[in-house]
Amino acid sequence: MRFLLIEDNAELSGSVAARLSLDGHAVDCAATLAEAEDCLGAASYDLILLDIMLPDGDGRDFLVRHRRAERETPVIVMTARSAVTDRVDALDTGADDYITKPFDFAELEARCRAVLRRRGGAAQTQRVFADIRFDPLAATLTIEGEIRDLRSREMRLMELFLSAQGRILSKEHLVDRLFSFSEPVSDNAIEVYVGRLRRKLSGSRAKIETVRGLGYRLTEG
């Protein structure tokens, strides 16, 4: 998943981005609303984490513009304001969730997962395809009772394929979803991760097919 973190506190921004990156998410950081708009103009995001008080404006104004532009990317507001009226105002403005600073990283991660599940229309975390069961919380694939552990980016790649069963995903799309602007990406990065995931799927009916010149797709063989 690719997240946009809009937060002007450099220490907090770095800590949140590092924590989410450990889960395999790509995180772009913006310290101002202007930087955030530039990021939105250059990439698409699965989730936005939004501070309220920013150097060049109020995050709630950004949220209003975000919804008026019919952008459906879910937004979690992060702020030190803890009054009930502040939470109600953020939610009524268009936020999908609200977390008060200081927060525990585990709670933030759980809220991110919950919002993404709601937006994806899935109440359950585990996904089943062919003869595999994928559990993103445990970072495992289960094939005929055998549990295989996934590394963070392998897990996010599996999520992408499961969300697009049978559809071709280009290398460019996969790079966009797996890497942030600040991360160096080698020419064969996607081939490396696809190769690793294929090894984890070895022996199952789930196959990652290469469509020459176009990309990859998950099929049942």
Side-chain angles (χ1 to χ4, degrees):
M1 299 290 181
R2 188 165 186 171
F3 294 176
L4 175 59
L5 172 59
I6 310 172
E7 167 62 59
D8 64 322
N9 183 310
E11 183 177 356
L12 177 60
S13 179
S15 297
V16 170
R19 180 63 179 256
L20 294 173
S21 295
L22 289 176
D23 289 335
H25 299 296
V27 184
D28 291 320
C29 299
T32 65
L33 295 177
E35 290 179 10
E37 292 291 355
D38 288 342
C39 289
L40 287 168
S44 58
Y45 294 93
D46 299 291
L47 180 65
I48 296 173
L49 302 174
L50 173 66
D51 187 22
I52 292 296
M53 301 305 294
L54 292 157
D56 58 344
D58 191 314
R60 287 167 298 188
D61 294 332
F62 168 90
L63 187 54
V64 169
R65 294 194 299 271
H66 182 72
R67 294 307 181 208
R68 284 179 177 171
E70 298 184 351
R71 295 170 176 161
E72 297 183 356
T73 309
V75 177
I76 297 178
V77 167
M78 308 184 306
T79 180
R81 297 180 177 181
S82 58
V84 172
T85 52
D86 291 322
R87 296 198 297 272
V88 170
D89 183 47
L91 294 169
D92 283 344
T93 303
D96 294 85
D97 203 352
Y98 187 109
I99 189 167
T100 304
K101 302 175 185 176
F103 48 77
D104 187 275
F105 285 143
E107 180 185 357
L108 177 62
E109 290 171 320
R111 288 182 180 275
C112 290
R113 291 193 297 268
V115 167
L116 290 170
R117 285 200 304 271
R118 289 200 299 269
R119 280 301 175 113
Q124 300 180 350
T125 59
Q126 295 192 9
R127 304 281 298 276
V128 176
F129 178 79
D131 56 350
I132 67 171
R133 182 177 297 275
F134 171 63
D135 186 341
L137 295 183
T140 59
L141 283 173
T142 302
I143 302 171
E144 296 184 351
E146 179 186 351
I147 297 176
R148 304 179 185 182
D149 294 328
L150 298 176
R151 295 182 179 180
S152 56
R153 283 237 165 86
E154 295 167 358
M155 180 172 63
R156 299 308 167 200
L157 185 59
M158 191 73 233
E159 285 181 325
L160 290 170
F161 280 123
L162 285 171
S163 297
Q165 296 173 21
R167 300 204 307 272
I168 298 172
L169 300 180
S170 69
K171 287 184 181 180
E172 291 76 14
H173 176 79
L174 295 176
V175 167
D176 180 70
R177 307 323 298 161
L178 292 175
F179 298 93
S180 66
F181 290 127
S182 61
E183 293 178 282
V185 183
S186 64
D187 292 340
N188 67 336
I190 295 302
E191 289 93 333
V192 170
Y193 286 109
V194 167
R196 291 177 181 175
L197 189 55
R198 278 173 169 159
R199 287 193 289 274
K200 297 294 176 66
L201 291 169
S202 176
S204 76
R205 297 200 310 274
K207 309 294 181 184
I208 300 175
E209 177 186 7
T210 299
V211 182
R212 190 173 298 278
L214 297 176
Y216 305 93
R217 64 183 166 199
L218 181 67
T219 62
E220 182 175 354

